[in-house]
Amino acid sequence: MATWRDTPFTRRLGIELPIVQGPFGGGLSSAALAAVVSEGGGLGSYGAHVLSGTEIRALVAELRALTSRPFNINLWVPLPGERELSLSAAEFAAESERLRPLRESLGVPPPVSPGEGPGAFVAQDFDAQLEAVIEARPPVASFVFGPPPAAAIAEMKRRGIVTIGTATTVDEAVALEAAGMDLIVATGSDAGGHRVSFLRRAEESLVGTFSLVPQVADAVRVPVIAAGGIADGRGVVAALALGASAVQIGTAFLACHESNACEAHKAALTGPEARRTALTRAFTGRLARGLRNRAMVELEAAGEAAPYPARAWFMSPLNQAARAAGRAEAMALWAGQAASLARRRPAAECLAALVSEVEASR
Ligand SMILES: Cc1cc2nc3c(=O)[nH]c(=O)nc-3n(C[C@H](O)[C@H](O)[C@H](O)COP(=O)(O)O)c2cc1C
Protein backbone atom coordinates (compact mmCIF):
# COMPACT_ATOMS: atom_id res chain seq x y z
CA MET A 1 0.00 0.00 0.00
CA ALA A 2 1.60 3.26 -1.10
CA THR A 3 -0.72 5.88 0.42
CA TRP A 4 1.34 6.19 3.63
CA ARG A 5 3.91 8.00 1.50
CA ASP A 6 1.51 10.78 0.55
CA THR A 7 1.58 13.17 3.51
CA PRO A 8 1.70 16.97 3.93
CA PHE A 9 5.46 16.50 4.55
CA THR A 10 6.22 14.59 1.32
CA ARG A 11 3.98 16.96 -0.66
CA ARG A 12 5.71 20.03 0.82
CA LEU A 13 9.18 18.74 -0.12
CA GLY A 14 8.22 16.88 -3.29
CA ILE A 15 9.90 13.68 -2.10
CA GLU A 16 8.73 10.07 -2.00
CA LEU A 17 9.10 8.94 1.59
CA PRO A 18 8.03 10.51 4.91
CA ILE A 19 11.39 9.52 6.39
CA VAL A 20 14.10 11.95 7.55
CA GLN A 21 17.61 10.72 8.40
CA GLY A 22 18.27 12.81 11.50
CA PRO A 23 21.28 15.14 11.48
CA PHE A 24 24.24 14.26 13.72
CA GLY A 25 26.40 16.94 15.30
CA GLY A 26 29.86 16.32 16.72
CA GLY A 27 31.32 15.33 13.35
CA LEU A 28 29.22 12.15 13.10
CA SER A 29 27.29 13.14 9.97
CA SER A 30 28.56 12.26 6.51
CA ALA A 31 27.65 13.58 3.09
CA ALA A 32 27.56 9.98 1.84
CA LEU A 33 24.86 9.02 4.37
CA ALA A 34 22.72 12.10 3.66
CA ALA A 35 23.01 11.57 -0.10
CA VAL A 36 22.07 7.87 0.03
CA VAL A 37 18.93 8.63 2.02
CA SER A 38 17.92 11.53 -0.27
CA GLU A 39 18.60 9.43 -3.36
CA GLY A 40 16.44 6.69 -1.83
CA GLY A 41 13.47 9.06 -1.59
CA GLY A 42 13.82 10.19 2.03
CA LEU A 43 15.34 13.41 3.38
CA GLY A 44 19.05 13.08 4.16
CA SER A 45 20.47 15.50 6.74
CA TYR A 46 23.88 16.77 7.78
CA GLY A 47 24.56 18.22 11.24
CA ALA A 48 26.71 21.27 10.45
CA HIS A 49 26.96 22.53 14.03
CA VAL A 50 30.72 21.92 14.10
CA LEU A 51 31.46 23.45 10.68
CA SER A 52 32.61 26.97 9.78
CA GLY A 53 30.77 29.07 7.21
CA THR A 54 33.36 28.17 4.57
CA GLU A 55 33.01 24.47 5.34
CA ILE A 56 29.22 24.74 5.12
CA ARG A 57 29.44 26.28 1.63
CA ALA A 58 31.73 23.43 0.50
CA LEU A 59 29.43 20.84 2.10
CA VAL A 60 26.33 22.13 0.30
CA ALA A 61 28.25 22.02 -3.02
CA GLU A 62 29.37 18.46 -2.25
CA LEU A 63 25.81 17.35 -1.45
CA ARG A 64 24.50 18.97 -4.64
CA ALA A 65 27.07 16.96 -6.59
CA LEU A 66 26.01 13.73 -4.84
CA THR A 67 22.23 14.11 -5.16
CA SER A 68 19.74 16.13 -7.16
CA ARG A 69 17.08 15.49 -4.48
CA PRO A 70 16.29 17.67 -1.44
CA PHE A 71 18.65 17.45 1.55
CA ASN A 72 18.81 19.19 4.93
CA ILE A 73 21.53 21.18 6.70
CA ASN A 74 21.17 21.47 10.49
CA LEU A 75 22.44 24.17 12.88
CA TRP A 76 22.31 24.75 16.64
CA VAL A 77 20.91 28.17 17.59
CA PRO A 78 22.88 29.65 20.53
CA LEU A 79 20.92 29.79 23.80
CA PRO A 80 21.07 32.99 25.90
CA GLY A 81 24.41 33.36 27.71
CA GLU A 82 26.12 30.62 25.73
CA ARG A 83 28.37 32.86 23.63
CA GLU A 84 29.32 34.95 26.67
CA LEU A 85 30.25 32.01 28.93
CA SER A 86 33.63 32.47 30.57
CA LEU A 87 35.34 30.55 33.41
CA SER A 88 37.55 32.14 36.05
CA ALA A 89 41.03 30.66 36.52
CA ALA A 90 39.75 28.77 39.59
CA GLU A 91 36.72 27.40 37.72
CA PHE A 92 38.97 26.37 34.82
CA ALA A 93 41.32 24.52 37.18
CA ALA A 94 38.40 22.77 38.96
CA GLU A 95 36.89 21.62 35.66
CA SER A 96 40.27 20.41 34.45
CA GLU A 97 40.74 18.45 37.70
CA ARG A 98 37.31 16.75 37.36
CA LEU A 99 38.39 15.44 33.95
CA ARG A 100 41.93 14.50 34.97
CA PRO A 101 41.44 10.70 35.50
CA LEU A 102 39.78 10.23 32.09
CA ARG A 103 42.26 12.60 30.42
CA GLU A 104 45.26 10.77 31.88
CA SER A 105 43.83 7.35 30.99
CA LEU A 106 43.70 8.57 27.38
CA GLY A 107 47.18 10.12 27.46
CA VAL A 108 45.86 13.59 26.60
CA PRO A 109 47.93 16.56 27.91
CA PRO A 110 46.26 19.05 30.33
CA PRO A 111 44.27 21.81 28.57
CA VAL A 112 45.64 25.32 28.12
CA SER A 113 43.10 28.00 29.07
CA PRO A 114 41.64 29.89 26.10
CA GLY A 115 41.46 33.00 28.36
CA GLU A 116 38.63 34.51 30.38
CA GLY A 117 36.95 36.64 27.73
CA PRO A 118 33.47 36.01 26.35
CA GLY A 119 33.30 33.46 23.54
CA ALA A 120 36.41 31.67 24.82
CA PHE A 121 34.78 28.23 24.50
CA VAL A 122 32.67 28.83 21.37
CA ALA A 123 33.85 26.56 18.54
CA GLN A 124 32.01 28.20 15.64
CA ASP A 125 30.41 31.58 14.96
CA PHE A 126 26.66 30.95 14.53
CA ASP A 127 26.08 34.16 12.55
CA ALA A 128 28.70 33.08 9.99
CA GLN A 129 27.17 29.59 9.82
CA LEU A 130 23.69 31.03 9.25
CA GLU A 131 24.95 33.42 6.60
CA ALA A 132 26.61 30.50 4.79
CA VAL A 133 23.40 28.43 4.90
CA ILE A 134 21.37 31.34 3.52
CA GLU A 135 23.89 31.96 0.75
CA ALA A 136 24.42 28.30 -0.16
CA ARG A 137 20.67 27.80 -0.23
CA PRO A 138 20.24 24.09 0.65
CA PRO A 139 16.70 22.82 -0.12
CA VAL A 140 16.00 22.42 3.62
CA ALA A 141 17.55 23.95 6.77
CA SER A 142 16.70 22.62 10.24
CA PHE A 143 17.42 24.19 13.62
CA VAL A 144 17.59 23.07 17.23
CA PHE A 145 17.56 25.05 20.52
CA GLY A 146 14.93 27.46 19.19
CA PRO A 147 14.16 29.32 15.99
CA PRO A 148 16.85 31.34 14.19
CA PRO A 149 16.40 35.15 14.17
CA ALA A 150 13.27 36.45 12.42
CA ALA A 151 15.24 38.21 9.67
CA ALA A 152 17.00 34.95 8.80
CA ILE A 153 13.71 33.04 8.66
CA ALA A 154 12.29 35.69 6.30
CA GLU A 155 15.41 35.52 4.10
CA MET A 156 15.31 31.72 3.94
CA LYS A 157 11.64 31.87 2.90
CA ARG A 158 12.51 34.44 0.22
CA ARG A 159 15.19 32.11 -1.11
CA GLY A 160 12.91 29.06 -1.12
CA ILE A 161 14.69 27.21 1.70
CA VAL A 162 12.21 25.06 3.64
CA THR A 163 12.78 25.57 7.38
CA ILE A 164 12.39 23.02 10.17
CA GLY A 165 12.30 23.83 13.90
CA THR A 166 12.64 21.28 16.69
CA ALA A 167 10.36 21.04 19.74
CA THR A 168 10.65 19.00 22.93
CA THR A 169 7.32 20.27 24.34
CA VAL A 170 3.96 21.47 23.00
CA ASP A 171 4.81 25.05 24.07
CA GLU A 172 8.01 24.95 22.02
CA ALA A 173 6.12 23.65 18.97
CA VAL A 174 3.62 26.52 19.26
CA ALA A 175 6.49 29.03 19.57
CA LEU A 176 8.25 27.59 16.50
CA GLU A 177 5.08 27.78 14.42
CA ALA A 178 4.54 31.38 15.55
CA ALA A 179 8.14 32.17 14.50
CA GLY A 180 7.29 30.98 10.98
CA MET A 181 9.00 27.58 10.75
CA ASP A 182 7.57 25.50 7.88
CA LEU A 183 7.80 22.10 9.57
CA ILE A 184 8.29 20.98 13.16
CA VAL A 185 10.22 18.01 14.54
CA ALA A 186 8.61 16.78 17.77
CA THR A 187 11.45 15.02 19.53
CA GLY A 188 10.57 12.80 22.46
CA SER A 189 12.90 12.15 25.38
CA ASP A 190 13.53 8.65 23.95
CA ALA A 191 15.77 10.20 21.26
CA GLY A 192 19.54 9.87 21.03
CA GLY A 193 21.83 12.90 21.34
CA HIS A 194 21.04 16.26 22.93
CA ARG A 195 17.74 17.38 24.38
CA VAL A 196 17.22 20.55 22.36
CA SER A 197 14.84 22.38 24.74
CA PHE A 198 14.81 26.17 24.58
CA LEU A 199 11.88 27.46 26.68
CA ARG A 200 12.63 25.61 29.91
CA ARG A 201 15.52 23.55 31.22
CA ALA A 202 15.85 20.22 29.39
CA GLU A 203 15.21 18.35 32.67
CA GLU A 204 11.80 20.05 32.88
CA SER A 205 10.96 19.25 29.25
CA LEU A 206 11.19 15.47 29.15
CA VAL A 207 8.17 14.13 27.27
CA GLY A 208 8.24 10.73 25.57
CA THR A 209 7.61 10.50 21.82
CA PHE A 210 4.29 8.67 22.22
CA SER A 211 2.90 11.46 24.43
CA LEU A 212 4.47 14.39 22.61
CA VAL A 213 3.62 13.69 18.96
CA PRO A 214 -0.23 13.65 19.12
CA GLN A 215 -0.29 16.73 21.36
CA VAL A 216 2.00 18.67 19.02
CA ALA A 217 -0.04 17.48 16.00
CA ASP A 218 -3.16 18.90 17.69
CA ALA A 219 -1.49 22.18 18.65
CA VAL A 220 0.06 23.28 15.33
CA ARG A 221 -1.10 23.43 11.73
CA VAL A 222 2.27 22.83 10.06
CA PRO A 223 3.36 19.23 9.33
CA VAL A 224 4.92 17.42 12.29
CA ILE A 225 7.94 15.08 12.08
CA ALA A 226 8.10 12.54 14.93
CA ALA A 227 11.55 11.79 16.38
CA GLY A 228 12.79 9.58 19.19
CA GLY A 229 12.71 5.81 19.49
CA ILE A 230 11.69 5.12 15.89
CA ALA A 231 13.94 2.49 14.33
CA ASP A 232 11.79 0.14 12.27
CA GLY A 233 8.55 -0.06 10.29
CA ARG A 234 6.43 -0.49 13.43
CA GLY A 235 7.68 2.83 14.74
CA VAL A 236 6.94 4.57 11.45
CA VAL A 237 3.39 3.21 11.36
CA ALA A 238 2.82 4.21 15.01
CA ALA A 239 4.18 7.76 14.47
CA LEU A 240 1.94 8.29 11.43
CA ALA A 241 -1.03 6.97 13.42
CA LEU A 242 -0.24 9.49 16.17
CA GLY A 243 -0.62 12.35 13.72
CA ALA A 244 2.92 12.80 12.40
CA SER A 245 3.46 13.57 8.71
CA ALA A 246 6.93 12.01 8.77
CA VAL A 247 9.49 10.43 11.07
CA GLN A 248 13.06 11.46 11.87
CA ILE A 249 15.32 8.51 12.58
CA GLY A 250 18.73 9.01 14.18
CA THR A 251 20.29 6.06 16.00
CA ALA A 252 19.26 3.44 13.40
CA PHE A 253 21.03 5.48 10.66
CA LEU A 254 24.01 6.19 12.94
CA ALA A 255 24.71 2.44 13.02
CA CYS A 256 24.78 2.27 9.20
CA HIS A 257 28.05 1.90 7.27
CA GLU A 258 27.99 5.43 5.80
CA SER A 259 27.67 7.34 9.10
CA ASN A 260 30.80 8.92 10.52
CA ALA A 261 30.43 7.22 13.91
CA CYS A 262 33.57 5.21 14.69
CA GLU A 263 33.81 1.44 14.69
CA ALA A 264 33.67 1.20 18.52
CA HIS A 265 30.52 3.35 18.66
CA LYS A 266 28.76 1.29 15.97
CA ALA A 267 29.75 -1.96 17.69
CA ALA A 268 28.33 -0.66 21.00
CA LEU A 269 25.06 0.38 19.31
CA THR A 270 24.50 -3.16 18.12
CA GLY A 271 25.83 -4.99 21.20
CA PRO A 272 24.12 -5.98 24.47
CA GLU A 273 25.06 -2.64 26.13
CA ALA A 274 22.68 -0.88 23.70
CA ARG A 275 19.77 -1.73 25.99
CA ARG A 276 20.92 0.79 28.62
CA THR A 277 20.86 4.47 27.75
CA ALA A 278 20.75 7.46 30.09
CA LEU A 279 20.47 11.24 29.98
CA THR A 280 23.56 13.08 31.20
CA ARG A 281 25.22 16.49 31.18
CA ALA A 282 28.63 14.87 31.72
CA PHE A 283 29.93 14.94 28.14
CA THR A 284 29.04 18.46 26.96
CA GLY A 285 27.40 20.35 29.83
CA ARG A 286 24.03 19.90 28.09
CA LEU A 287 21.58 17.09 28.67
CA ALA A 288 21.98 14.34 26.10
CA ARG A 289 21.15 10.65 25.75
CA GLY A 290 23.81 8.00 25.25
CA LEU A 291 24.80 4.51 26.33
CA ARG A 292 25.60 4.37 30.03
CA ASN A 293 29.27 3.42 29.76
CA ARG A 294 32.19 3.79 32.17
CA ALA A 295 33.02 7.35 31.09
CA MET A 296 29.45 8.49 31.78
CA VAL A 297 29.39 6.91 35.23
CA GLU A 298 32.83 8.22 36.25
CA LEU A 299 32.31 11.75 34.91
CA GLU A 300 28.99 12.01 36.76
CA ALA A 301 30.64 10.85 39.97
CA ALA A 302 33.35 13.52 39.53
CA GLY A 303 30.83 16.33 40.12
CA GLU A 304 28.73 18.84 38.23
CA ALA A 305 30.01 19.62 34.72
CA ALA A 306 30.89 23.18 33.69
CA PRO A 307 28.08 24.63 31.54
CA TYR A 308 27.97 24.20 27.76
CA PRO A 309 30.02 25.02 25.74
CA ALA A 310 32.87 24.84 28.31
CA ARG A 311 32.44 21.12 29.13
CA ALA A 312 32.19 20.35 25.39
CA TRP A 313 35.45 22.28 24.81
CA PHE A 314 37.26 20.32 27.56
CA MET A 315 35.90 16.98 26.31
CA SER A 316 36.62 17.46 22.62
CA PRO A 317 40.29 16.28 22.66
CA LEU A 318 39.38 13.43 25.02
CA ASN A 319 36.65 12.19 22.68
CA GLN A 320 39.01 12.43 19.73
CA ALA A 321 41.64 10.41 21.57
CA ALA A 322 39.09 7.77 22.65
CA ARG A 323 37.86 7.52 19.06
CA ALA A 324 41.37 7.16 17.68
CA ALA A 325 42.12 4.42 20.23
CA GLY A 326 38.78 2.66 19.65
CA ARG A 327 37.99 2.91 23.39
CA ALA A 328 34.18 2.65 23.62
CA GLU A 329 34.23 2.84 27.43
CA ALA A 330 35.98 6.24 27.31
CA MET A 331 33.86 8.16 24.76
CA ALA A 332 30.37 9.57 24.43
CA LEU A 333 28.26 6.83 22.82
CA TRP A 334 25.20 8.82 21.77
CA ALA A 335 22.17 6.57 21.31
CA GLY A 336 18.39 6.62 21.66
CA GLN A 337 16.26 4.23 23.68
CA ALA A 338 15.50 2.08 20.63
CA ALA A 339 19.21 1.50 19.93
CA SER A 340 18.82 -2.27 20.23
CA LEU A 341 16.73 -2.23 17.05
CA ALA A 342 19.65 -0.77 15.04
CA ARG A 343 21.57 -2.95 12.58
CA ARG A 344 24.97 -2.50 10.97
CA ARG A 345 24.20 -2.36 7.28
CA PRO A 346 24.26 -0.02 4.29
CA ALA A 347 21.87 2.93 4.75
CA ALA A 348 20.03 2.02 1.52
CA GLU A 349 19.24 -1.34 3.09
CA CYS A 350 18.01 0.34 6.27
CA LEU A 351 15.73 2.61 4.24
CA ALA A 352 14.46 -0.28 2.09
CA ALA A 353 13.72 -2.34 5.23
CA LEU A 354 11.74 0.54 6.75
CA VAL A 355 9.66 0.83 3.58
CA SER A 356 8.99 -2.90 3.23
CA GLU A 357 8.16 -3.24 6.95
CA VAL A 358 5.62 -0.42 6.73
CA GLU A 359 4.10 -1.85 3.58
CA ALA A 360 3.93 -5.38 5.02
CA SER A 361 2.08 -4.09 8.10
CA ARG A 362 -0.73 -2.45 6.11
C1 LIG B 1 24.97 11.12 17.65
C2 LIG B 1 23.77 11.99 17.50
C3 LIG B 1 23.96 13.33 17.20
C4 LIG B 1 22.86 14.16 16.98
N1 LIG B 1 23.07 15.47 16.64
C5 LIG B 1 22.01 16.24 16.28
C6 LIG B 1 22.21 17.56 15.79
O1 LIG B 1 23.34 18.07 15.71
N2 LIG B 1 21.11 18.26 15.42
C7 LIG B 1 19.83 17.74 15.49
O2 LIG B 1 18.88 18.39 15.08
N3 LIG B 1 19.62 16.49 15.97
C8 LIG B 1 20.68 15.74 16.35
N4 LIG B 1 20.46 14.46 16.80
C9 LIG B 1 19.08 13.94 16.88
C10 LIG B 1 18.74 13.12 15.62
O3 LIG B 1 18.80 13.90 14.47
C11 LIG B 1 17.33 12.49 15.74
O4 LIG B 1 16.34 13.46 15.89
C12 LIG B 1 17.26 11.52 16.92
O5 LIG B 1 18.40 10.70 16.93
C13 LIG B 1 16.00 10.69 16.82
O6 LIG B 1 15.92 9.76 17.86
P1 LIG B 1 16.49 8.26 17.74
O7 LIG B 1 17.94 8.37 17.99
O8 LIG B 1 15.77 7.51 18.81
O9 LIG B 1 16.18 7.76 16.35
C14 LIG B 1 21.54 13.63 17.08
C15 LIG B 1 21.36 12.29 17.43
C16 LIG B 1 22.45 11.46 17.63
C17 LIG B 1 22.22 10.01 17.97
Side-chain angles (χ1 to χ4, degrees), residues 18-240:
I19 298 175
V20 181
Q21 167 252 317
F24 306 126
L28 302 186
S29 282
S30 81
L33 175 61
V36 165
V37 173
S38 288
E39 282 293 291
L43 181 68
S45 306
Y46 193 108
H49 162 59
V50 292
L51 302 185
S52 68
T54 307
E55 288 166 335
I56 288 172
R57 286 187 191 86
L59 169 70
V60 172
E62 184 186 0
L63 283 164
R64 273 198 219 292
L66 290 172
T67 179
S68 55
R69 312 266 183 102
F71 57 84
N72 168 37
I73 301 294
N74 174 265
L75 292 180
W76 293 22
V77 178
L79 287 174
E82 172 184 327
R83 289 193 257 203
E84 295 74 32
L85 180 78
S86 160
L87 298 186
S88 68
E91 288 166 334
F92 186 91
E95 178 71 348
S96 183
E97 181 56 24
R98 282 189 283 272
L99 298 178
R100 189 171 52 80
L102 180 61
R103 186 176 62 238
E104 287 180 356
S105 86
L106 287 162
V108 173
V112 177
S113 169
E116 289 186 31
F121 298 104
V122 174
Q124 296 294 348
D125 175 2
F126 175 72
D127 294 338
Q129 291 180 319
L130 190 55
E131 198 184 303
V133 166
I134 290 170
E135 256 178 56
R137 208 191 281 208
V140 183
S142 72
F143 297 87
V144 286
F145 298 109
I153 297 176
E155 188 56 24
M156 285 188 276
K157 279 191 193 301
R158 214 179 59 75
R159 290 174 166 249
I161 302 171
V162 176
T163 57
I164 305 181
T166 313
T168 65
T169 62
V170 174
D171 289 345
E172 289 179 354
V174 169
L176 291 168
E177 181 177 49
M181 306 307 282
D182 296 317
L183 308 167
I184 292 175
V185 172
T187 174
S189 52
D190 326 26
H194 284 86
R195 300 307 305 146
V196 292
S197 307
F198 60 96
L199 289 182
R200 292 177 186 280
R201 258 176 84 79
E203 284 83 349
E204 295 165 31
S205 312
L206 297 174
V207 187
T209 306
F210 231 85
S211 301
L212 182 65
V213 171
Q215 295 184 69
V216 170
D218 284 350
V220 300
R221 300 172 61 155
V222 296
V224 174
I225 303 162
I230 303 165
D232 63 17
R234 293 170 294 185
V236 178
V237 171
L240 296 177

